[in-house]
Amino acid sequence: MSEHTSLRPARRGDGQAAFDVTQASVCELAKGHYSAEQIAGWMGRRTADAYEAMIAKGLMVVAEQDGRIVGFVDSEPGEVTRLFLLADAAGSGLGKRLLEIGIKNARQGHDGPIKVESTVNAEGFYRRHGFRKVERGYFSHGSGGVPIEIVHMEL
């Protein structure tokens, strides 16, 4: 993680940046694991406003480098629902730090296992951080588009 990286709770107005990070991450990091059609339809009907609604729930944390949001994690009780990084931030340790925050937030008000729906390309990342594969399936947090294969995992 760069010395110029800071982590903070997402705030109103960060929705467009979180949307952009998700879209760029999918295009850059998932392209070798999913078809062009899947990637093109990944965002479905999502909008920046949908990310603003997620932010309003209060569990999203963003990572900024030099004032630019380069990644984020979002959780709900029992699940890390989203963790996305820009390609140039991947491999820096930032994903691990965001995952730790996401797990901590997912444990709030929840005693059971912590779940994640991993993209195929991120399965190894989650496995290295203690998650185990439960089964393969399809993305449940989607908003339309071509089905996206994911890996259901638990910690």
Side-chain angles (χ1 to χ4, degrees), residues 6-141:
S6 61
L7 303 175
R8 63 167 175 80
R11 56 184 175 243
R12 194 165 40 145
D14 288 339
Q16 185 66 56
F19 175 91
D20 293 345
V21 165
T22 304
Q23 191 167 42
S25 178
V26 167
C27 289
E28 297 166 4
L29 299 175
K31 66 183 172 191
H33 302 272
Y34 293 96
S35 72
E37 183 182 18
Q38 287 172 312
I39 289 173
W42 196 291
M43 299 303 285
R45 294 178 299 276
R46 278 191 201 95
T47 64
D49 287 342
Y51 283 78
E52 289 293 338
M54 293 175 215
I55 290 166
K57 293 179 182 177
L59 293 177
M60 185 183 290
V61 173
V62 298
E64 286 184 320
Q65 288 180 346
D66 301 317
R68 174 178 76 122
I69 293 177
V70 297
F72 71 94
V73 65
D74 195 23
S75 304
E76 58 188 44
E79 184 176 7
V80 176
T81 54
R82 287 162 203 84
L83 194 164
F84 288 95
L85 291 175
L86 294 179
D88 60 357
S92 67
L94 182 55
K96 176 184 177 184
R97 182 71 185 110
L98 286 171
L99 180 59
E100 289 168 350
I101 291 167
I103 291 168
K104 178 182 171 199
N105 287 344
R107 289 196 189 286
Q108 293 179 21
H110 180 78
D111 292 329
I114 303 300
K115 298 177 183 182
V116 69
E117 290 185 357
S118 172
T119 57
V120 173
N121 53 294
E123 181 181 3
F125 166 79
Y126 288 110
R127 193 173 32 248
R128 285 191 302 277
H129 294 93
F131 283 81
R132 64 177 179 76
K133 176 182 170 181
V134 175
E135 65 183 351
R136 287 206 182 276
Y138 291 90
F139 192 50
S140 72
H141 296 285

